[in-house]
Amino acid sequence: RGWPLTRPIGQADASVTWIPYLKSALDAGSWTEHLYRFGVLGGSAMHDAGGTPPLVSLCAVFHLPPTAAANLITVVVQALFGFFGAVLVEALVCVWTSGARTLTWPERICTVWLCSFAPVLGWRIAYGHENLLLGLLPYAAVTALWWAARAGTLSVTVLAAGALAIAEGVS
């Protein structure tokens, strides 16, 4: 009867890689204690050159359990892909029609829906390979930002979402 919030969205590999990493990151008293963990994945550099992802830090501030944090991050990643998909499509329409046309609300909703719930995202999340999506997120953001700048449709919201996506993906 419905989806229990205590069950992670990401399955398979997420239960042996992503969730233990997230639990270790959320349990760390300070990030200096989280540089290397022997008990996670046979020994892992947890706080590598890119730093701790901003969403993990935010979940730690709110003391979210690992499953809730993983689910929140998954939803935010999907939302960012949908958002950048809509920004990119809007910018391309604007450039290709010389600024004569913008997307209607139904077109925007369909674009966000198609980009957020693309089968490739679902497959990666179901397999627990969220790290692949996080690695692609900066590319999606930079592509959307570049086209939006070219079309003259950049906004503070697009720049802030781009900064979050790049920081999350690089980390």
Side-chain angles (χ1 to χ4, degrees):
R1 238 161 93 101
W3 173 60
L5 295 176
T6 56
R7 182 175 180 192
I9 296 171
Q11 299 293 304
D13 289 346
S15 60
V16 294
T17 57
W18 175 234
I19 302 293
Y21 165 80
L22 201 52
K23 181 176 180 349
S24 179
L26 295 171
D27 290 344
S30 72
W31 299 116
T32 57
E33 296 174 14
H34 199 244
L35 295 177
Y36 190 86
R37 290 291 171 106
F38 292 101
V40 177
L41 306 175
S44 298
M46 306 299 279
H47 188 81
D48 219 353
T52 301
L55 293 175
V56 173
S57 299
L58 183 66
C59 290
V61 167
F62 289 109
H63 304 290
L64 291 179
T67 302
N71 289 343
L72 176 69
I73 292 169
T74 299
V75 169
V76 169
V77 166
Q78 277 189 284
L80 285 171
F81 271 108
F83 177 76
F84 290 123
V87 168
L88 179 61
V89 168
E90 179 117 88
L92 288 173
V93 166
C94 188
V95 167
W96 289 341
T97 61
S98 301
R101 183 177 180 282
T102 59
L103 296 178
T104 63
W105 279 105
E107 290 170 335
R108 288 180 190 187
I109 291 169
C110 288
T111 302
V112 169
W113 185 264
L114 288 172
C115 292
S116 293
F117 297 101
V120 70
L121 291 178
W123 293 329
R124 293 292 104 197
I125 290 170
Y127 290 149
H129 298 166
E130 189 150 339
N131 58 336
L132 296 175
L133 298 179
L134 286 170
L136 289 173
L137 196 54
Y139 294 106
V142 168
T143 303
L145 286 167
W146 187 80
W147 276 101
R150 186 168 175 202
T153 59
L154 268 180
S155 67
V156 174
T157 305
V158 174
L159 289 172
L164 173 65
I166 292 168
E168 189 71 23
V170 169
S171 299

